[in-house]
Every structure is written in C-alpha cells, then in structure tokens.
Amino acid sequence: MNHSNCKKKLIGAEILCIGSELLLGNIINTNGHWLAQELAYIGIPHFRQCIIGDNHLRLKEAILESSRRSKFLITTGGLGPTVDDLTTETIASAFGSKLIESQEVLSDIKSKIQNKQDESLNSITKQAKVPHDAEIIPNKYGTAPGIIWSPIPGFTILTFPGVPSELKQMWTDSAAPWFKNNVQEKTLIVSKTLRFAGISESNLAENLGDLLNSQNPTVAPYASLGEVKIRITAKAKNKQEVNELINPIENKIKNKMGNKLYGTENETLQSVILKMLSERDEKLAVAESCTGGGISAEITSIPGSSVCFLGGIVAYNNQIKHDLLNVPEEILLKHGAVSAEVVELMAKGIEDKFKSDWSIAISGIAGPSGGTKEKEVGIVQFCISGPFGMRTWHESFGSHRSRKDIQKLSVLKALDQLRLFLLSDS
Amino acid sequence: MNHSNCKKKLIGAEILCIGSELLLGNIINTNGHWLAQELAYIGIPHFRQCIIGDNHLRLKEAILESSRRSKFLITTGGLGPTVDDLTTETIASAFGSKLIESQEVLSDIKSKIQNKQDESLNSITKQAKVPHDAEIIPNKYGTAPGIIWSPIPGFTILTFPGVPSELKQMWTDSAAPWFKNNVQEKTLIVSKTLRFAGISESNLAENLGDLLNSQNPTVAPYASLGEVKIRITAKAKNKQEVNELINPIENKIKNKMGNKLYGTENETLQSVILKMLSERDEKLAVAESCTGGGISAEITSIPGSSVCFLGGIVAYNNQIKHDLLNVPEEILLKHGAVSAEVVELMAKGIEDKFKSDWSIAISGIAGPSGGTKEKEVGIVQFCISGPFGMRTWHESFGSHRSRKDIQKLSVLKALDQLRLFLLSDS
C-alpha cells in the first residue's frame, strides 16, 4: 500500500487513542467509546479504532497507516506538557512538517494560568506548538488545544486531549460542527435516547417485543446501574425523513411504557424533578443517612437547582439524627436507625427545620459491614413526605452488591419515587 | 513491510476486538481492557489494540498486518453461530488455510445444547470448524471454542468469544497457562501508583526532572481533574528484583515531593483523612453550600466512615445558612453568602450543632450563572476549623470551568487542606 492508491480510501474515520496506560490496562478506554457514539450520531462511518502507547515510532507508523486507508483520523491523548506527550510532534514528523509557536494558543494558555506560579515556560510553549497550516480546536477547560490538520490531500487529522471533559467540550463545540460543514456524505444518522427508571432491561425488552427487531430505525436497549435507556437510530437523507422514522416508534414506546419513561436525551431524574417542583413553586429538602449526601450532590449538580432545593442534613450518626432531626433516642433504640419509624421522623424533622414542601429521608445498610440476620446489607428504608401526606417503604438491593452500588441505587430509587409522587399528585 | 523482515518483529502481543457494535459505540470495550491487564500481569508486552467491525476484508487486512508486526495476536468476538461471525474463517483465509470439522468440538457443542430446541445443525457445525493444526481452547460456559494457531512461523493467534464471562474462563484456564509454558520471556511487569494533590502535572514533572527519562523502571505522570498520579513500572525476572527497581525510585520521589504525595495505589484523599482522624479519635462534620453534599458523599463512600464522620448540613439557601447554621442575616446581606465572614460562621455553626472536633465550610459560585464582576464564577470560599483554630481562604478555579468541575475541584481542595492541617497538627 502507498499514497498512490487513494481511490481505495474509505470515506470514513479511524480513532487512535494514545497512551501507555491504556495498553497496560490501567484505565478503560471510555474516550474511544464516547467518540464512536458521536461519529455514529453525525453519520461518519467508523472503520477502525486503535490504541498505541507513548512511543514515537509505533505512533508514527499507525498514523501513516491510517493516512493510506481513511479520510479522517481522530486522536485522543498525548497533548499534555510532559515528555511522554508525543502526539503533535509525531504527527508533524510523520508528514515532514515543522511545528511553530501559535501566539493565539500561547496567550490563551497564559490567561488560564495567570495566577499560578507552578507552570513553567517550557510546558506552556510545548502545548502552543502546532503545524503552521493547522486549524486550532480551542480547549475551554484546559490548556492543551487540539488541531484540525490536513497534511496530505484527502486526509485530515483531528487531535484531542485524553481528559474526557476537555475532549467532550472540544468535540461538541468545534469538531462536530466542523464535520457538519466539511463532509459531503449527507446520509444523516440520528439517534434519540429514551430514559427509563424502575424497570429492568430484560423486562423492558420483553415489553417492546418486535420493536427491537426494527431495521430503520433500529431500537436498542442499554442498561447501566439502576437505569435503562433505549436508543432509536434512524438513517435518512434529511432531518424531516429522520423524524418521520423516529416519531412513530417513539410514540409506540411511550404508550407502552407509561411513566416508566422519565425523560429523553440528556434529561436526568433530578432535572425532571427540579422542573416539576419549579412549575409547582415548591421546595425540597433531604435527610440522608446511608447515602451520605449523594441525593443532595446529584440535585445540586444541576444549574439553577437552588430555586427549588433548600438543602439537607447528612445525619451519619444516631446522635445527629436525635440532635438535629429530633428523632427520640428511645425510637432509635427500639427500632434501630434503619426502620420505618426512624425515616418517618427524619422526614418530619427535616420538614420542620427547612420548612420545605417536600422531604426525602433515607436510612439503610450500605455495607460491607453493619448487616445483621434481620437487617442485612442492602436493606434501605425510605420516606417521602409532601403535600399529599407521607409514604414509607423499604428496598432490599441485595447483600452481594458493593457499597457504592447500594448508595447509587438508593439515590436513584428515592429520586424516581419522588418523581412518581409528583406525577400522581398533579 | 512484508514477511521477510521478521527480525523487526516485536516480541509482544496485539489485541484485536471484533464487532461492529464496538465501532458504533453501542457497547464499551471491557474485553480489551481486561485482556490488557492480564497481559501486563503475565509479563507479555502489549503494543497495539484494535477494534474492527464484522467485515471480512478489513478483518483480513488487520490480521495480516499484525502477523508482520507482532508475535501474538489475541482476538475477541466473531466466534458465534450467525453469518456476521467471521473470525475463524477470516483467519484461515488470510493464510490460505481450510477449515475442518472438529469431532471433539462437535460433540462438546451437542452435549451442551441437547435440551435446547432452537439451535440448528448449521450453527453447530459452523462453530465446530477450525484449522486442522489448531489447538482448541475449550469454552466451559458457551458453545464457541477458541483456537491457538500458528499459521506462519513466529506468529500465533489466540481467539476468544466476545462474551466476557466466556473469555475470562478460557483465558484463565487455558491461555494464561499456555503463555506460561510456551513463551520464553519470563519478565514480570509490575506498576506502583503514587498519588499527589495540590500540584499540577507540569510542576510535578519539573520537580522530578530526569527521573521521567528512566527506562527501567519507567516513571510516567497522569493527570485527571484536581489530581496527579505517578506510575512507576518495572520489568524484572521476579518480585524481588521488581521491588529492588521500584523502591529506590519511590523513595526519591517521596523525598522530593514531601506532603504533596498523599497516598499510593488505591488510596484516596478521603480514605487518608479518615485514617488520620481515626488514629486521633476525632470527629468531622461539614457545612456545604456550592458543593451541595459532594464532600459528604465522597467521605461516606468509604466503608467505616461513620467512625469519624458525623455528617453535615447542605445549606443551599441563605435562609438555611441563617436558620440552621446561625449565620446572622446582616452578615449575609453585608458580605454576601460567598465571603470569608460567612464560611467562618458556617464552620462555627456546624461545630456547635454537631459537636465535632473538625469542621469544613464551603460557599462558592459554581455557575454557570450567579457570577458578578467582583465575585466571578469559580470563586469559592473555604474555612476549616479544628483543635488548632481556624483557617479561612479562597480559591479562584476559573470562570471557564464547568459547574461539575468547580464542584469537584472544591471538594478535592477542601479534603486536601484538611489533610495538610491534620499533618501539620500532628
């Protein structure tokens, strides 16, 4: 193979993830997975994905191979300030190009680190060096920019840092629009995500039956801890045709699944709840024991949550449940901290202190120790109190689960139940 | 490159993960990650990892490339009964070999599916076809066996199914012992991770200087938001030699970096803090505004945290800062919620309520809105109060950062400062 057989080139992209830590299995390649989804979303075929370590020669070889096979090469990693960050200089050397210092990048980096004493001039200038005819992909959150560069006709490289938040911002703000403007192939591949809570993947799949065998759009379920998603993916010539394919399927699923479906696209349980509370002009406060602040943290991750969320008390200790939430000592002694009686009093206590319309109280055994024969690890008591009154229940998430999983499942369950109560109370 | 330059071959392995679902981003490549860890564990260098879709020509090309570069190719996926399972026949055709029906495999498959009605004879025989001189890797949990096959001198392919449980069983029971018996290089590769806080990657790299150019062990820095790690990786014949290589480097780094180094391996800031508090028999409570429960959640993710962590108040609202933490309204009005005065009173308030030895208070502007000219997004006020007295300071994380990043950086900074105070107070 050589540069002359460009006719055989694939009109598609390859992804090259760079970093010895990936080859050593120290971290999992979530960047490659995320970019693969994004390429599918914008309709660019993805033919090959590789991981190469921080090694100049092997990197150069891989880059040249891609340049003979594909139209686009997307790289992640190796843009940092240290000597084992080799991406930009290796790309340039693969095509006999030199790097120049970009004044634009230099001043951006300087503005970001103006108050820090600990950055050396070397590391700044290293990150500012790019091929002279490369377009810069600005990095909003970090100092290392990416580039869009066509070293030879019919081959374009796009580089991104390995830090996932920086990669995502740069892709979304710069690279995705660039592909939209510069790539001719106009088969649109559009996906729509539907999000479900309180149902298992297999149960959802059973409910959807033949819909899962649909060819265009395809309907594929994905499960993660405590949540299931359905991705509907349609291929068509334009946005309207795509919508005509997706909408009927989406409506069928909505009708079948009712309020198990809580949102679409990037909505979360907490964003949906905040929206409902805000429409009702009602306030929420929480009393957390085993989730240790996890519900508060999820809710306050949403911008503007302060409109409806007052805060909470993390009562990680019986004395605090008594002193701050007014749970009587004799109740704690008689029923134990993980009991219906205690979470009801916790909910009452938080409502009194915060003067909230809604309150959530949680107490459970997240493990790995602390379980007994009667109350084993994974048992969690919940109480939600609101304008309609109070509901108390418990869940057994299973003693085989990890502490983090039990905490996460408890947070999701509490949020989903609050959502359902808000729905039924409207 | 061609078959003749075998001398340049790498004495190591490549991994080829096969499946269009991986390239579409429908599933994450956990098999590649797991195999990478296993290769490191048995000391086989891993130079390249690729994903290719269910496409005969592209697969063939990738297999032939590997055969020119490396000694071992490990594949996952494409061994199933359907038409898009192409691995075995593509490997055979790449080297001009034919497949024969293995009676051994055939009877194994038949014994496994005797009670199932839904398997056709075709799918049985397809999975039983292997090159005549291939060794079989038995599949205990499924029907598709793998093979160990050397189609040309100095190149061996090992195939595995894509189902993680089957891959793991087959690797552990058959492939790992095979490598042990058949590969001469008896090199152990062992890594040790050192964890740092309060220092940037470039500053750390500068401090370590020439250590980063060390060849055995290698010393490589990795950065994630608010944290830097150093991985020391040594190759040697046995555990003792590995330790003799790693220990002096580890000690040098420890001496240079002092208390910027907070832990090793899987330690976290919160696990280190809880250990120190527990040794001193002291209790902690927190008052959080902009981090919204994030500090509590991090601390309570550690098993046994209840021994030293009492809990906290998420005061996401000025009224709550007043009602629950006793911050006077006039102070809130005069200085604003994000001020040294307010966090000091919050720390005092939480200490009074929780009767804790140590308290952390945080109030800041996590954005994206809420910033002003004087107090822009990213400004966070901190107060830590303990047996030594009280320290108050603020950080400017930068208005370019996302809400989640500002929240996470605030949590890490508070934890790291508490760690330093505990150290200086001991």
Side-chain angles (χ1 to χ4, degrees):
Chain A
M1 275 197 289
N2 56 55
H3 283 230
S4 65
N5 60 359
C6 279
K7 279 174 197 163
K8 286 170 73 183
K9 261 198 182 182
L10 303 168
I11 306 168
E14 301 189 15
I15 295 172
L16 177 60
C17 299
I18 299 159
S20 299
E21 70 278 18
L22 291 163
L23 288 181
L24 284 167
N26 291 328
I27 58 171
I28 196 160
N29 190 11
T30 54
N31 285 340
H33 176 236
W34 189 84
L35 281 171
Q37 289 181 315
E38 290 299 305
L39 284 173
Y41 184 73
I42 62 173
I44 305 283
H46 174 205
F47 290 120
R48 188 189 277 240
Q49 185 174 122
C50 275
I51 300 172
I52 297 280
D54 304 313
N55 175 292
H56 180 73
L57 283 177
R58 286 197 280 276
L59 212 48
K60 191 167 167 177
E61 196 179 295
I63 291 161
L64 287 170
E65 282 168 22
S66 290
S67 76
R68 291 171 202 133
R69 265 187 318 245
S70 297
K71 275 204 158 180
F72 304 105
L73 175 65
I74 296 156
T75 73
T76 66
L79 297 185
T82 65
V83 285
D84 64 350
D85 290 306
L86 301 166
T87 303
T88 313
E89 62 192 77
T90 303
I91 292 172
S93 96
F95 299 99
S97 246
K98 287 215 168 109
L99 299 177
I100 56 142
E101 213 168 271
S102 158
Q103 293 310 308
E104 174 196 348
V105 175
L106 205 57
S107 65
D108 176 66
I109 298 178
K110 282 184 178 163
S111 77
K112 277 174 182 150
I113 59 167
Q114 53 190 342
N115 293 320
K116 292 182 194 165
Q117 298 301 316
D118 59 18
E119 301 280 346
S120 76
L121 198 68
N122 273 347
S123 72
I124 297 171
T125 50
K126 181 174 184 301
Q127 291 178 302
K129 282 183 179 161
V130 294
H132 79 280
D133 51 346
E135 192 178 323
I136 301 294
I137 306 178
N139 182 341
K140 204 164 135 188
Y141 302 141
T143 52
I147 56 170
I148 301 177
W149 185 44
S150 301
I152 55 170
F155 178 64
T156 303
I157 303 180
L158 296 93
T159 67
F160 298 88
V163 181
S165 60
E166 298 178 14
L167 158 68
K168 288 176 187 176
Q169 178 270 318
M170 291 162 71
W171 177 270
T172 308
D173 292 351
S174 301
W178 182 89
F179 274 108
K180 206 171 174 184
N181 293 329
N182 289 279
V183 180
Q184 293 300 315
E185 282 71 45
K186 293 291 180 194
T187 303
L188 214 58
I189 304 182
V190 176
S191 287
K192 177 142 195 187
T193 302
L194 308 182
R195 294 174 177 271
F196 302 83
I199 188 167
S200 71
E201 185 182 15
S202 54
N203 194 321
L204 182 66
E206 229 165 89
N207 270 281
L208 297 183
D210 274 352
L211 277 177
L212 296 180
N213 300 324
S214 162
Q215 288 302 311
N216 190 19
T218 57
V219 178
Y222 303 95
S224 56
L225 188 72
E227 208 199 8
V228 190
K229 291 184 284 190
I230 291 281
R231 186 173 301 117
I232 311 170
T233 306
K235 291 183 198 181
K237 285 216 179 68
N238 56 50
K239 191 88 194 178
Q240 192 194 332
E241 282 184 26
V242 161
N243 286 339
E244 284 167 10
L245 287 165
I246 289 181
N247 292 349
I249 301 281
E250 183 182 348
N251 289 333
K252 264 190 200 171
I253 296 174
K254 279 184 174 169
N255 288 336
K256 278 204 180 206
M257 301 314 303
N259 61 16
K260 296 279 183 202
L261 188 150
Y262 74 80
T264 61
E265 306 300 10
N266 292 321
E267 286 185 308
T268 57
L269 283 169
Q270 58 269 31
S271 73
V272 167
I273 287 168
L274 286 167
K275 206 174 147 209
M276 287 195 276
L277 285 171
S278 152
E279 282 163 8
R280 300 160 66 111
D281 192 22
E282 291 174 345
K283 311 282 184 197
L284 170 68
V286 299
E288 302 186 63
S289 182
C290 69
T291 49
I295 297 183
S296 290
E298 282 297 333
I299 291 173
T300 55
S301 72
I302 306 291
S305 45
S306 59
V307 173
C308 310
F309 184 65
L310 297 172
I313 289 179
V314 179
Y316 210 61
N317 180 288
N318 278 354
Q319 194 62 41
I320 304 301
K321 291 185 183 79
H322 171 257
D323 292 353
L324 271 89
L325 293 168
N326 302 326
V327 182
E329 265 167 19
E330 58 270 27
I331 301 278
L332 282 162
L333 276 172
K334 187 173 170 198
H335 300 283
V338 182
S339 61
E341 290 79 3
V342 167
V343 286
E344 283 182 9
L345 288 163
M346 284 169 68
K348 180 84 177 44
I350 204 84
E351 222 169 84
D352 289 347
K353 292 258 162 153
F354 282 72
K355 310 200 176 23
S356 58
D357 305 291
W358 293 84
S359 68
I360 303 175
I362 294 194
S363 183
I365 301 156
S369 63
T372 63
K373 216 170 174 184
E374 293 81 40
K375 292 180 187 172
E376 61 176 13
V377 168
I379 287 189
V380 180
Q381 290 281 351
F382 297 80
C383 178
I384 293 182
S385 168
F388 66 81
M390 192 176 254
R391 285 191 207 168
T392 311
W393 81 100
H394 77 272
E395 303 281 341
S396 302
F397 293 117
S399 57
H400 62 288
R401 289 197 187 271
S402 73
R403 178 177 180 85
K404 283 193 184 178
D405 283 1
I406 291 169
Q407 290 177 321
K408 189 174 174 199
L409 287 169
S410 301
V411 169
L412 291 174
K413 177 53 83 175
L415 292 173
D416 190 39
Q417 282 301 315
L418 175 59
R419 176 183 73 89
L420 293 172
F421 293 165
L422 281 161
L423 279 176
S424 68
D425 195 44
S426 64
Chain B
M1 275 198 288
N2 56 55
H3 283 232
S4 65
N5 59 0
C6 279
K7 280 174 197 163
K8 287 170 73 183
K9 261 196 180 183
L10 303 169
I11 306 170
E14 301 189 14
I15 295 172
L16 177 60
C17 299
I18 300 159
S20 299
E21 72 278 18
L22 290 163
L23 288 180
L24 285 166
N26 291 331
I27 58 170
I28 195 160
N29 189 11
T30 53
N31 285 341
H33 177 237
W34 189 83
L35 281 171
Q37 289 181 314
E38 291 297 307
L39 284 174
Y41 184 71
I42 62 172
I44 305 283
H46 175 205
F47 291 118
R48 188 188 278 242
Q49 185 173 122
C50 275
I51 300 172
I52 298 281
D54 304 312
N55 176 291
H56 180 73
L57 282 178
R58 286 198 280 276
L59 212 47
K60 192 168 165 176
E61 197 178 294
I63 291 162
L64 286 171
E65 281 168 23
S66 290
S67 75
R68 291 171 203 132
R69 267 189 315 247
S70 297
K71 275 204 157 179
F72 304 104
L73 176 65
I74 297 156
T75 73
T76 66
L79 298 185
T82 66
V83 285
D84 63 352
D85 290 307
L86 302 166
T87 303
T88 313
E89 62 192 78
T90 304
I91 293 172
S93 95
F95 298 98
S97 245
K98 287 211 167 115
L99 299 176
I100 57 142
E101 215 167 272
S102 158
Q103 293 312 307
E104 173 197 348
V105 176
L106 205 60
S107 66
D108 176 66
I109 299 177
K110 281 182 178 165
S111 77
K112 277 175 182 149
I113 61 166
Q114 54 191 339
N115 295 320
K116 292 182 194 166
Q117 299 301 312
D118 58 14
E119 302 278 345
S120 74
L121 199 66
N122 272 346
S123 74
I124 297 171
T125 50
K126 181 174 184 301
Q127 291 178 301
K129 281 181 180 165
V130 293
H132 78 280
D133 51 348
E135 192 178 325
I136 300 295
I137 305 178
N139 182 341
K140 204 163 136 187
Y141 303 140
T143 52
I147 56 169
I148 301 176
W149 186 44
S150 300
I152 55 170
F155 179 65
T156 303
I157 303 180
L158 296 94
T159 68
F160 298 87
V163 181
S165 58
E166 298 178 15
L167 158 67
K168 287 176 187 175
Q169 179 268 316
M170 291 162 70
W171 176 271
T172 308
D173 293 350
S174 301
W178 183 88
F179 273 108
K180 206 171 174 184
N181 294 328
N182 289 277
V183 180
Q184 293 301 313
E185 285 70 44
K186 294 285 183 197
T187 310
L188 211 62
I189 305 181
V190 177
S191 288
K192 175 140 196 188
T193 302
L194 308 182
R195 293 173 178 273
F196 303 83
I199 188 167
S200 72
E201 184 184 12
S202 55
N203 192 298
L204 182 65
E206 231 166 87
N207 271 282
L208 297 184
D210 274 352
L211 278 177
L212 296 180
N213 300 323
S214 161
Q215 288 305 310
N216 189 19
T218 56
V219 178
Y222 302 96
S224 57
L225 189 73
E227 208 200 8
V228 191
K229 290 183 285 191
I230 291 281
R231 187 171 299 113
I232 310 171
T233 306
K235 292 182 198 181
K237 286 214 179 70
N238 56 50
K239 192 89 193 179
Q240 193 196 330
E241 282 184 24
V242 160
N243 287 338
E244 283 167 9
L245 286 166
I246 289 181
N247 292 349
I249 300 280
E250 183 182 349
N251 289 333
K252 263 191 200 170
I253 297 175
K254 280 184 173 169
N255 288 337
K256 276 202 183 214
M257 301 313 302
N259 61 17
K260 298 278 182 200
L261 187 149
Y262 73 79
T264 61
E265 305 299 9
N266 292 321
E267 286 185 308
T268 58
L269 283 170
Q270 58 270 30
S271 73
V272 167
I273 287 168
L274 286 168
K275 206 175 145 209
M276 286 195 275
L277 285 171
S278 152
E279 282 164 7
R280 301 160 65 109
D281 193 21
E282 290 175 345
K283 312 280 183 197
L284 170 69
V286 299
E288 303 186 62
S289 182
C290 69
T291 48
I295 297 183
S296 290
E298 283 296 334
I299 292 174
T300 55
S301 72
I302 306 292
S305 44
S306 59
V307 173
C308 311
F309 184 65
L310 296 172
I313 290 180
V314 180
Y316 211 60
N317 181 286
N318 279 353
Q319 193 63 43
I320 303 303
K321 290 185 183 81
H322 171 256
D323 293 354
L324 271 88
L325 293 168
N326 302 325
V327 182
E329 265 167 21
E330 57 271 26
I331 299 281
L332 282 162
L333 276 172
K334 187 171 169 198
H335 300 282
V338 182
S339 62
E341 290 79 4
V342 167
V343 285
E344 283 181 7
L345 289 163
M346 284 169 70
K348 179 85 178 44
I350 204 84
E351 221 168 82
D352 289 348
K353 291 257 163 155
F354 282 71
K355 307 198 178 29
S356 57
D357 305 291
W358 293 84
S359 68
I360 303 174
I362 294 195
S363 183
I365 302 156
S369 63
T372 64
K373 218 173 173 183
E374 292 82 43
K375 291 180 189 175
E376 61 178 11
V377 167
I379 286 188
V380 181
Q381 290 280 351
F382 297 81
C383 178
I384 293 183
S385 168
F388 67 81
M390 192 175 254
R391 286 191 205 169
T392 312
W393 80 101
H394 76 272
E395 303 281 341
S396 302
F397 293 117
S399 58
H400 63 286
R401 291 198 185 269
S402 72
R403 179 178 179 83
K404 281 192 185 179
D405 283 0
I406 291 168
Q407 290 176 320
K408 190 176 172 199
L409 287 169
S410 302
V411 169
L412 291 176
K413 177 53 84 174
L415 292 174
D416 191 39
Q417 282 301 316
L418 175 57
R419 176 184 72 89
L420 294 173
F421 292 165
L422 280 163
L423 279 178
S424 68
D425 196 41
S426 63

